[in-house]
Amino acid sequence: MNNHNLITRNVFHKIHKKQISSKIGFKKVSSLLNHNNLKLNKNYFKDAICGDFGCGSTGAGGFNLLNLGAKYVHLVDLNKHIIKPINNNLKKFSDKYEINISSIENTNFKKNYFDFILCQGTIHHAKNDENCFKEIKRVLKPGGKCLIMVAGEGGLISDFVMKYLRPQYKQNKNIKKFINKIMYNKISGYKKFYLNNIDNQTKKIVRFLERFIDEDLFLTIQDRVLAPKYKTYNEQKLVTYLKKMGFGNIYRIKRKVSFNNLRRLLSPFYFHYKHEISRALYGDGDITLMMTKKRRKIFRTYGKRT
């Protein structure tokens, strides 16, 4: 692995290990997809060879595909430390998957191998995202389908995190100290100071809100802040780029994500991403696109194939 990939994988392995121990993250991701939101018939995966590219240390996406009936799944990520936790999470599918250690920028799979590729929340962290798209196209069969999820650009909350918080975390030691205490849940000192300086009515509000703070929320903050790279995409430009690459039938899907923390307050805006409030807060949001690799057209001119 190059240095960028090494740092990225180590950051997310720590996050994924906590997700596994809490069981929150795995449950959330392993049930995001279904035949209805993918707009596929119920038998689509019956004979499908699938790839979960950037599967992480949980293998939750691969688990989701196998639950949908995939014939076989290759789970791909950068480091062998994913093997043990994935084998534990997917043990009921022991003969239907394989773990492949490689970068999705350059895999060892043969051309036109996969019927379906899943790549969620990975490409925007890659050192060279164009290589990821090209590799997905290379190993996907003509007529094969792919689902990618990348971070969209724009919106008040997204821009605050990406354009202000992430740079300031790296540059300002006071902000870094403050954010570290929050995302690693070491705020007892802050909490004591705050509670000693508010009235009883406000204390009731604080104690109510505390019910909606959990490990998953802290891990989400770690994801947004600690990843070495977090590229954001304009949906329209991304779709244009994918069409030029040779993908067609591109459409965005909605996925309902369940939260037990403060993000429940914002969940309507994740799902209804076109609403004006959603656009104001999150811009293009998390862009989840289904697409199909176009079949090569064969033209006949005077009996000759070109």
Side-chain angles (χ1 to χ4, degrees), residues 163-173 175-176:
K163 296 181 180 180
Y164 181 79
L165 181 57
R166 281 174 56 83
Q168 286 297 311
Y169 179 81
K170 295 176 182 178
Q171 300 165 11
N172 189 312
K173 64 180 182 180
I175 290 177
K176 183 174 183 177

Side-chain angles (χ1 to χ4, degrees), residues 133-150:
F133 290 119
K134 290 175 182 176
E135 183 67 356
I136 287 172
K137 185 192 173 209
R138 184 186 73 83
V139 299
L140 192 64
K141 291 178 181 178
K145 297 183 181 297
C146 174
L147 181 146
I148 63 165
M149 190 282 280
V150 294

Side-chain angles (χ1 to χ4, degrees), residues 11-12 14-16 18 125 166 169 179-180 182-185 215-228 230:
V11 165
F12 283 98
K14 291 175 182 177
I15 293 173
H16 293 163
K18 291 179 181 177
H125 298 307
R166 281 174 56 83
Y169 179 81
I179 297 299
N180 278 343
I182 292 175
M183 68 184 180
Y184 293 118
N185 193 19
E215 181 73 6
D216 186 50
L217 183 61
F218 298 130
L219 295 176
T220 298
I221 299 171
Q222 291 174 35
D223 175 305
R224 302 298 188 269
V225 172
L226 298 179
Y230 228 119

Side-chain angles (χ1 to χ4, degrees), residues 23-40:
K23 297 184 180 180
I24 296 172
F26 181 81
K27 183 178 180 181
K28 184 171 66 177
V29 179
S30 64
S31 58
L32 279 178
L33 305 178
N34 56 66
H35 294 96
N36 288 332
N37 64 17
L38 292 175
K39 299 180 182 179
L40 299 174

Side-chain angles (χ1 to χ4, degrees), residues 80-142:
K80 63 182 180 181
H81 60 212
I82 69 172
I83 295 173
K84 184 176 179 180
I86 288 178
N87 282 337
N88 185 58
N89 284 340
L90 273 64
K91 55 189 175 184
K92 76 173 187 176
F93 300 109
S94 58
D95 59 341
K96 298 188 70 175
Y97 74 90
E98 179 181 309
I99 300 171
N100 304 89
I101 308 301
S102 68
S103 167
I104 65 172
E105 295 179 43
N106 183 24
T107 71
N108 294 319
F109 299 108
K110 64 183 181 180
K111 187 178 180 181
N112 302 332
Y113 178 71
F114 289 101
D115 297 291
F116 187 94
I117 293 175
L118 177 66
C119 189
Q120 304 179 101
T122 300
I123 293 175
H124 50 226
H125 298 307
K127 186 174 183 179
N128 189 320
D129 59 322
E130 288 190 18
N131 285 345
C132 296
F133 290 119
K134 290 175 182 176
E135 183 67 356
I136 287 172
K137 185 192 173 209
R138 184 186 73 83
V139 299
L140 192 64
K141 291 178 181 178

Side-chain angles (χ1 to χ4, degrees), residues 187-228:
I187 57 174
S188 57
Y190 292 160
K191 182 180 175 181
K192 183 178 180 181
F193 165 80
Y194 188 67
L195 291 175
N196 286 338
N197 288 279
I198 57 176
D199 57 52
N200 289 332
Q201 193 66 28
T202 307
K203 286 179 182 177
K204 290 181 181 179
I205 297 172
V206 171
R207 290 186 178 121
F208 174 77
L209 291 175
E210 281 182 321
R211 302 176 189 175
F212 300 96
I213 296 175
D214 63 5
E215 181 73 6
D216 186 50
L217 183 61
F218 298 130
L219 295 176
T220 298
I221 299 171
Q222 291 174 35
D223 175 305
R224 302 298 188 269
V225 172
L226 298 179

